[in-house]
Amino acid sequence: VATAAAAVATAFVGRSQRWWALSCVVALGVAAALAIPAQRTLLQVQHRWDDWRRDAARRGLDELRQELDAALAWSSRAVRDALSAPPTTRSAAFDALEAIPGRRADQGIVLLQSESPLAWAGMIQAPVDPTVAGTSIVATPFYLALQLAERRGDLRAIATILLDAAPPADRLATTINAPVAKRAGLRGLVFVPTSDSSGGDVLHYTMGGARVFDVRAISYQQGEVAQHTSEAVRGRAGVAFVIALICFIIGVWRGTRSVGQRLAALAVGL
């Protein structure tokens, strides 16, 4: 209502003030547009919490499945590319691995020659296991990784995907699950051993028809979701409100020399 009233009022202000008034209206409109989705989310969280939680878990798990499929497809291509044209020097090997396109921050690749590292590219947090062929899980106290290894002659290429990291390592490494969980509004996506449990909050991930691991979606509490949503929209809409306020004050100051009116504009802002 206030934005609509301000838009109508721009037709009655002087030319020197009109552009500032229009800028103020646009900023208010942006703030309102940012607040509408958040308000819708808050209503769903408050009145349809179970449905919202299930939808968030399903979104997160579906996206994670797609991310895992894409990461494994890259790993398969990367190890083939690394082995298809063996480099003649070590520097050439580094250049060849760096040139493989599509690598993400949670992926890396190592090229070994006679079981000794020859070159590598990307971030490799968990140690690779050169004794295992094919796909395998590498677990350490802080990192969980999925590796894909192929061998050709005395060369072995190992591509890695960092699945998860435990505190404080999660602050130092980029994992495949953390960004997905954040986008879905989940506390986390946790990798666990395979089980027979079922439900919308569990992903049974398979490769070649074989179960590899399960992923559980961990939701925030209802109050936490409402608080996070309010804080996020408050920060984004607050910037637009500040811009609208600045435009309002400048417009008033440009349209009058009255000290009282200028001080009144500042008082509105305060």
Side-chain angles (χ1 to χ4, degrees):
V1 175
T3 303
V8 173
T10 57
F12 302 98
V13 299
R15 185 182 299 272
S16 62
Q17 297 172 288
R18 186 164 299 159
W19 288 110
W20 293 106
L22 288 173
S23 299
C24 178
V25 170
V26 170
L28 288 173
V30 170
L34 291 172
I36 290 173
Q39 188 63 37
R40 186 183 300 115
T41 299
L42 286 174
L43 288 174
Q44 292 176 341
V45 169
Q46 291 171 358
H47 302 290
R48 299 175 56 193
W49 166 243
D50 289 337
D51 292 339
W52 188 94
R53 182 180 57 80
R54 284 193 296 268
D55 290 344
R58 185 174 62 251
R59 287 196 310 271
L61 294 173
D62 288 345
E63 183 180 351
L64 183 62
R65 184 198 301 273
Q66 296 172 7
E67 293 289 319
L68 287 167
D69 291 344
L72 282 168
W74 179 87
S75 297
S76 181
R77 292 193 304 269
V79 295
R80 288 198 303 267
D81 291 347
L83 295 173
S84 61
T88 56
T89 65
R90 190 168 192 177
S91 62
F94 274 101
D95 293 340
L97 296 186
E98 286 289 350
I100 297 176
R103 188 183 70 247
R104 308 185 320 180
D106 52 60
Q107 295 174 306
I109 184 166
V110 182
L111 183 64
L112 298 96
Q113 187 173 42
S114 301
E115 306 305 331
S116 297
L118 178 64
W120 52 89
M123 295 297 295
I124 304 171
Q125 303 289 352
V128 297
D129 186 354
T131 64
V132 180
T135 304
S136 59
I137 298 292
V138 178
T140 73
F142 291 105
Y143 297 112
L144 181 69
L146 180 65
Q147 75 169 35
L148 177 63
E150 290 188 17
R151 183 168 188 166
R152 188 172 301 171
D154 64 342
L155 291 176
R156 184 190 296 271
I158 303 176
T160 66
I161 306 166
L162 189 59
L163 301 176
D164 198 4
D170 56 342
R171 299 182 180 181
L172 306 174
T174 300
T175 62
I176 197 171
N177 64 341
V180 176
K182 184 176 181 179
R183 288 192 293 269
L186 297 170
R187 185 186 297 276
L189 292 164
V190 181
F191 294 85
V192 295
T194 59
S195 67
D196 294 330
S197 61
S198 61
D201 60 345
V202 179
L203 167 64
H204 303 296
Y205 193 74
T206 62
M207 294 175 54
R211 293 264 296 275
V212 182
F213 47 70
D214 289 351
V215 185
R216 291 189 178 276
I218 308 300
S219 301
Y220 286 105
Q221 296 296 320
Q222 185 177 8
E224 291 177 304
V225 175
Q227 181 180 355
H228 293 166
T229 303
S230 299
E231 290 176 350
V233 71
R234 191 179 298 122
R236 293 193 297 267
V239 174
F241 276 122
V242 169
I243 294 174
L245 178 59
I246 293 172
C247 293
F248 169 76
I249 294 174
I250 293 175
V252 172
W253 278 53
R254 287 178 63 88
T256 181
R257 294 185 178 181
S258 170
V259 175
Q261 291 181 352
R262 290 185 171 184
L263 291 178
L266 289 175
V268 169
L270 296 176

